[in-house]
Amino acid sequence: MTPTSFVKAGIFTLITVIVFFTAWEMHLRSKGVKISYDDGESLWADKRGMAYMPIDRATVFIGSSRNKFSLDIDTWEGVTGERAVQLAMEGNSPLPILDDLANDKEFKGKVVIDVTEGLFFTTAPNNITEPASHAEFYKKETPAQRFSFLVNRQLESNLVFLNKDHFSLHALLKDLPVEKRKGVFALPHDCPRDFNPVTFGRQNIMTDRFLTDTTLQKKVTDLWAFYRKMSKEPPANPAKRDSVIATIKHAADKIEGRGGKVIFLRTPSSGPFLMGEKMAFPREKYWEPLLMKTGRKGIHFEDYPAISLARSFHI
């Protein structure tokens, strides 16, 4: 093959790739797909770097999906005039992040901690490994990793097909109707993409379609039920509960000793999930001892009728 042939083949290949991805991008946008960012350790680390803002100019949110979905960052910032630093992580305990902030002598800010009892009072490895890994990544992020993140940000802000959770080859292969093999762990299905697009501020947003489509909503609640059945960990006994609370108090003392502030927030839940939480984690045995033993303030949604009555679709 002559050099000219190589050039022609290269140009043809380049044009083919450009046409393919242009068509793919246009197809996805015609379906109403919106921009969504990869909510991995790099994006989390970017927000973690914002936690050093003065206490009167920012609030740091940690916890699980209830803080991640229920907090409307634009509304918060518009009403309070403060930045919202979103560090919550779906399906995870807030304790590794609280510990990371407590051990950071430069952090002197305000922290709002989501108390989802089943995740808050647990030390199960599958609920603490990911947040601990993210905190470690932030400390050790290399210049090359940071540069890659900045480049990806520019690409992700313009191209919807870069959503790896739904449009990568691995994600698309999972959509194939392949029968699940016996003995192999597999989720019944993935979360629908309308459930969790992510903004650059790590705001999870449910699309209008999701909020009106009961079939999509059922897919998500079925996944919650699946995870709940998988969990074999019983509610924390008094000794374990007090051990977790002591750890939290120690971390809160460190933060407030530097001039920071720690606030607990029991975010809304409803229906069978709230009923189950009340049975497994009665308020008088978990929420009240948490406030009493740590000596900190807490906001419980049931104490505010406007919040309690506004519940609709919560995690």
Side-chain angles (χ1 to χ4, degrees), residues 174-208:
K174 289 196 297 183
D175 289 338
L176 293 176
V178 178
E179 185 177 350
K180 296 178 175 61
R181 292 178 295 165
K182 291 183 178 180
V184 176
F185 172 80
L187 294 174
H189 50 259
D190 287 332
C191 278
R193 69 169 181 262
D194 290 280
F195 174 61
N196 59 353
V198 180
T199 70
F200 188 68
R202 298 191 71 246
Q203 167 82 65
N204 280 75
I205 299 175
M206 302 176 194
T207 68
D208 292 339

Side-chain angles (χ1 to χ4, degrees), residues 91-287:
N92 286 288
S93 164
L95 299 190
I97 307 305
L98 179 63
D99 184 65
D100 174 58
L101 295 171
N103 290 325
D104 185 343
K105 295 181 180 180
E106 299 302 316
F107 177 73
K108 305 172 184 178
K110 181 163 66 259
V111 187
V112 173
I113 308 175
D114 160 39
V115 181
T116 298
E117 295 91 350
L119 295 169
F120 189 89
F121 291 101
T122 182
T123 54
N126 59 311
N127 298 129
I128 63 176
T129 300
E130 188 176 16
S133 173
H134 278 44
E136 191 65 18
F137 177 85
Y138 170 72
K139 297 173 187 175
K140 298 181 178 180
E141 185 179 23
T142 66
Q145 289 171 323
R146 179 65 181 172
F147 176 76
S148 177
F149 165 75
L150 295 174
V151 172
N152 286 338
R153 175 193 176 181
Q154 297 304 317
L155 294 174
E156 287 180 313
S157 65
N158 290 284
L159 300 170
V160 299
F161 75 79
L162 290 179
N163 183 335
K164 75 172 188 178
D165 290 333
H166 295 290
F167 304 124
S168 66
L169 179 59
H170 178 70
L172 293 172
L173 287 174
K174 289 196 297 183
D175 289 338
L176 293 176
V178 178
E179 185 177 350
K180 296 178 175 61
R181 292 178 295 165
K182 291 183 178 180
V184 176
F185 172 80
L187 294 174
H189 50 259
D190 287 332
C191 278
R193 69 169 181 262
D194 290 280
F195 174 61
N196 59 353
V198 180
T199 70
F200 188 68
R202 298 191 71 246
Q203 167 82 65
N204 280 75
I205 299 175
M206 302 176 194
T207 68
D208 292 339
R209 179 189 174 204
F210 181 83
L211 293 175
T212 58
D213 191 324
T214 55
T215 301
L216 293 179
Q217 293 174 15
K218 188 174 185 307
K219 282 189 173 184
V220 175
T221 54
D222 284 350
L223 276 176
W224 297 344
F226 177 80
Y227 281 121
R228 185 174 56 183
K229 289 179 181 178
M230 279 184 54
S231 175
K232 305 299 181 183
E233 184 181 20
N237 58 36
K240 182 176 180 179
R241 175 203 65 194
D242 291 347
S243 175
V244 171
I245 291 176
T247 299
I248 292 168
K249 182 180 185 306
H250 182 64
D253 287 345
K254 284 185 177 181
I255 292 172
E256 297 200 350
R258 297 192 294 264
K261 191 173 184 63
V262 174
I263 303 168
F264 298 106
L265 174 64
R266 202 330 184 153
T267 41
S269 58
S270 60
F273 296 94
L274 177 59
M275 186 183 304
E277 288 164 348
K278 285 189 171 184
M279 292 175 62
F281 301 95
R283 179 171 176 169
E284 66 275 9
K285 293 184 178 180
Y286 291 90
W287 174 257

